[in-house]
Amino acid sequence: MRAGVRVLTSTKAICGVGTGNGTDARLAAETAVDEALRPLDGQEPDLVLVYASVRYDLPAVLKTVAAATGSAVIAGATSSGQLQHGQLIEPGSGIAVLALAGGGYRFGLGHATGVQADATRAGRALARAALDATGPVRSPHEAVLIFSDGLAGDQQELLNGIHKVTGFQVPVIGGAAADDRQLAETFVFAGDRVLKDAAVAVWIGSDRPLRVVGKHGWRATSLPLMLSGVDGQIVSELGGRPALEVYQENFRPRDPGAKKLYEKAGGYHSEHAFGLIQPDGSLLIRGAFIDSDGKLRTFSPMPPYSAVQVVSCDPEDLLEVGEQTVEEVMGGEEPAVVLVFDCVARLDILGQRGHEEARRLQEAAGDTPTFGYYTYGEFARTTGVAGYHNATIAAMAL
């Protein structure tokens, strides 16, 4: 593992965001980072986030960004599309860069590998490395920003390990890396390094509270059901009955006129999912799909004998909850940036309205830029241990 630290002294945060495209990785990265640095007016950035399509030469992208940003803490991930200042950069293209300076923050960078073999251990090591990197002085308010390999290990177990270091008072926000919906390989970034089977964390210390908000907009279409048969990601029984039969019984009729924005994506997600019923009655969304063998699978394992409901949603639900998430995380203030982590399943369900989401998120933020990417899962933990989500939008303001 590797750690780095950056301590800020300014009381006013300045943020710039930029994008690059085209086939040349270095040129696209230079374009994105130059645009992101412009609002800083010569001031060296302290935190740099990089989101990129897997089609690029990723080491070249990071080396280009690192060369332009000095000693900044650099973190990020591969994506399935990006969101930047009201614009949607569609899956399969683009590099997005954020540069932030000032604000009185303390940033500590850490990473851990071996997520597939032992996600809990990796999460604990990851959080400890990031915390140690901030130095001995603790800030009055803290949060952890994480990026994980979206195809490696149990993401909730990774969060369980992080919780062993953060405790319940430090919120966690972030996203699982994606790969333009290929479901082949995803990567995370730490400094100028491209990592697989790994997770990266930025420990953030602040003089002001750091709000984390996660919302989903899904609605139950079934009564509560007991998860009576589950083996890893395969769900075989619900309430003692064949799971697939019960699942399909609770499907909401689909709008025959609805069109997906990306037709090829239909094989790996559904307009229906599971909601894990939490102690407070809220639902934690777990994406589900029917595989080529006719088995009902989830993207992340669910605990045996837990209580679940089949859930569904429509595009308007998703658009409204996105606006609510941004408005709530801003809290009536004017932060330098709103970081957004949005599930690619939401983009698929939005269909032709995918670009509308990016625009409406920015309208909710006003003059504050929004910056984010489409993920293979979202982290938003504010109370308790559970905090890994599917088909959810999560945000934090800096």
Side-chain angles (χ1 to χ4, degrees), residues 15-286:
C15 179
V17 296
T19 60
N21 214 317
T23 58
D24 188 307
R26 287 182 176 83
L27 180 58
E30 285 176 358
T31 301
V33 74
D34 287 349
E35 184 180 351
L37 291 174
R38 200 168 300 133
L40 276 60
D41 196 24
Q43 185 174 349
E44 186 175 296
D46 303 283
L47 175 68
V48 173
L49 300 181
V50 183
Y51 306 142
S53 166
V54 291
R55 73 182 178 89
Y56 285 108
D57 179 343
L58 298 173
V61 169
L62 291 182
K63 284 181 170 57
T64 300
V65 172
T69 55
S71 60
V73 166
I74 300 173
T78 53
S79 66
S80 279
Q82 300 117 36
L83 295 159
Q84 188 267 128
H85 218 158
Q87 296 182 332
L88 165 63
I89 304 167
E90 296 192 9
S93 65
I95 297 167
V97 175
L98 174 146
L100 184 141
Y105 297 110
R106 299 174 62 87
F107 294 126
L109 176 68
H111 78 260
T113 56
V115 176
Q116 186 74 51
D118 191 338
T120 304
R121 181 209 64 80
R124 187 169 56 245
L126 167 75
R128 176 55 60 186
L131 174 59
D132 289 348
T134 64
V137 178
R138 298 291 293 270
S139 300
H141 303 283
E142 297 173 306
V144 178
L145 171 62
I146 62 172
F147 302 96
S148 66
D149 182 336
L151 300 177
D154 186 329
Q155 305 291 331
Q156 180 57 53
E157 282 299 320
L158 178 72
L159 191 55
N160 292 349
I162 292 171
H163 185 266
K164 293 179 183 298
V165 178
T166 64
F168 70 91
Q169 291 182 317
V170 178
V172 178
I173 183 74
D179 65 347
D180 298 326
R181 309 154 99 196
Q182 299 175 34
L183 295 176
E185 288 185 306
T186 64
F187 303 92
V188 293
F189 310 145
D192 62 359
R193 299 184 64 184
V194 179
L195 304 172
K196 184 180 176 182
D197 188 22
V200 174
V202 179
W203 195 287
I204 306 172
S206 171
D207 295 333
R208 297 178 295 278
L210 295 166
R211 287 185 291 272
V212 167
V213 177
K215 294 181 180 292
H216 55 73
W218 293 71
R219 301 178 185 180
T221 59
S222 78
L223 294 172
L225 301 161
M226 184 178 69
L227 190 62
S228 53
V230 60
D231 181 9
Q233 293 170 261
I234 299 176
V235 181
S236 57
E237 282 189 3
L238 287 168
R241 294 178 56 205
L244 184 57
E245 179 180 317
V246 177
Y247 187 61
Q248 292 177 324
E249 284 176 359
N250 290 282
F251 278 9
R252 184 174 67 177
R254 184 179 177 188
D255 178 1
K259 294 183 179 180
K260 294 181 182 297
L261 188 56
Y262 308 100
E263 289 296 336
K264 66 180 181 181
Y268 75 82
H269 86 88
S270 169
E271 287 80 6
H272 294 81
F274 285 112
L276 273 170
I277 302 175
Q278 301 302 291
D280 63 358
S282 64
L283 296 176
L284 195 72
I285 305 302
R286 285 286 180 267

